[in-house]
Amino acid sequence: MTREEFAEFQRKLKTADERGLDLDAIIKEYEHRNVYFYNDGCIKKILANEKNLMLTTDLINAALNLVGSDRIANPKLVNPYIPGELGYRSVEPDLLLTNDRGENIPRDRISIDVQHENNDFLFNDRLVLYVARLTSGMEKAGTFTRLENLHVVSFQFFDAFKESPNYRHKVQLRNQEQRVYFERQTVTLIEVNKFLKQKEKFEGDNSRIAQWLRAIDTLNREADFSEFAADPIFKVLQNEVKLCNFSARYMRCELMKDFDEARLKYNVAREIAKKMRDKGVDVSIIKETTNLSEKEIREL
């Protein structure tokens, strides 16, 4: 399902739940549909699952563009999905993993997160805060040890670098000569919308992360997946996004509900913005009232 379709499906579940109807029957009705992969609850169940570590490992290496001996080989989940548990919100990212590289070699710590909104443009501040929290978690009080390798990966649905022709960005501490100051800390931003909206531009990009973005988009749109079916990783992914793998109980958990509420607020904001625009209200006032961007307002 697309994000909009998934929000409508969740709204249907929510209404049925409030009326005391059979939620399992609704899940059964949709069992052959695909969930929206980038939903926090969905990506948690799919990628933070012990049985799907090969999926997660492949995606990590693709996003970080790691090859050969630099690849993440044996990751362990720090915050795994636990069957039967509903899950809860915390300061943790969607996925957090570690990867041992051997004696006297700093361990890897990998964080994966998805960001749909950049309300008030505060995401940069939040991202710096996430990095600081993950870094401080490596140190025990009263001791000082060598910091681990930290890789923070964020799949974003807004542009971090609007003028850049690239959709994948590696951010590190550098000096004025662009020399890396601390190589064991990276922030990788994947601009999903930029990649999908400029398909022709990136048509010749056969990198592994480009293949992942295309495969996920195809599953979200429930389009012909034959192009990816021969790939064993994507074949597993195709099976894991089926709604039949998700219980009604899990679909009503906090991870899912937050997404639904956020989408409802977004749709209401769009309706208000359209009415204000049609009445001739200045765009700057509409932006301030709805938190929508000028581009979103003009495209309504």
Side-chain angles (χ1 to χ4, degrees), residues 86-89 250 252-259:
L86 291 183
Y88 56 90
R89 282 291 187 187
Y250 188 73
R252 294 299 299 142
C253 75
E254 288 298 312
L255 286 171
M256 297 290 184
K257 189 170 69 174
D258 285 353
F259 168 88

Side-chain angles (χ1 to χ4, degrees), residues 89-150:
R89 282 291 187 187
S90 72
V91 297
E92 289 185 338
D94 295 336
L95 287 93
L96 186 61
L97 306 96
T98 59
N99 178 66
D100 290 319
R101 289 188 179 270
E103 191 175 355
N104 298 323
I105 301 177
R107 185 176 66 166
D108 297 295
R109 187 172 296 206
I110 309 107
S111 163
I112 302 177
D113 204 1
V114 175
Q115 292 294 330
H116 283 94
E117 315 294 346
N118 191 20
N119 293 334
D120 299 325
F121 302 98
L122 287 177
F123 178 70
N124 291 11
D125 297 49
R126 291 174 60 194
L127 186 59
V128 171
L129 178 61
Y130 291 159
V131 172
R133 280 175 171 166
L134 290 167
T135 302
S136 65
M138 300 176 188
E139 196 65 31
K140 294 182 179 180
T143 64
F144 183 80
T145 56
R146 191 181 187 192
L147 294 178
E148 301 170 350
N149 297 311
L150 175 62

Side-chain angles (χ1 to χ4, degrees), residues 6 47 57 65 82 137 147 154 158-159 169 193 197 211 217 238 241 267 270 272 296:
F6 193 61
L47 295 184
T57 304
N65 195 29
I82 302 174
L147 294 178
S154 179
F158 50 88
D159 293 341
H169 305 276
N193 274 354
K197 290 180 179 179
Q211 295 173 22
D217 179 56
Q238 182 184 26
V241 299
N267 288 337
R270 283 171 56 89
I272 293 173
E296 287 176 309

Side-chain angles (χ1 to χ4, degrees), residues 1-14 26 30 32-37 39 42 216-223 243 251 259-260 263-264 267:
M1 301 183 205
T2 63
R3 189 184 186 201
E4 290 73 18
E5 289 173 331
F6 193 61
E8 289 299 326
F9 167 72
Q10 286 178 297
R11 190 175 294 112
K12 183 176 182 178
L13 271 185
K14 182 178 181 180
I26 298 176
Y30 285 82
H32 297 302
R33 299 290 303 274
N34 296 340
V35 297
Y36 176 63
F37 177 84
N39 168 269
C42 294
I216 293 171
D217 179 56
T218 302
L219 290 171
N220 283 342
R221 292 184 293 107
E222 298 177 314
L243 187 60
M251 277 291 173
F259 168 88
D260 184 39
R263 195 61 190 171
L264 282 171
N267 288 337

Side-chain angles (χ1 to χ4, degrees), residues 206-241:
N206 293 314
S207 64
R208 189 59 175 171
I209 190 59
Q211 295 173 22
W212 263 95
L213 294 178
R214 293 186 187 109
I216 293 171
D217 179 56
T218 302
L219 290 171
N220 283 342
R221 292 184 293 107
E222 298 177 314
D224 182 8
F225 199 70
S226 58
E227 174 186 353
F228 308 96
D231 187 306
I233 293 291
F234 295 145
K235 186 63 178 176
V236 172
L237 180 64
Q238 182 184 26
N239 292 329
E240 291 300 311
V241 299

Side-chain angles (χ1 to χ4, degrees), residues 37 43 47 53-65 112 153 155 208-209 212-213 216 233:
F37 177 84
I43 200 171
L47 295 184
L53 267 181
M54 63 175 181
L55 280 180
T56 313
T57 304
D58 194 86
L59 178 58
I60 289 171
N61 287 313
L64 297 176
N65 195 29
I112 302 177
V153 180
F155 289 86
R208 189 59 175 171
I209 190 59
W212 263 95
L213 294 178
I216 293 171
I233 293 291

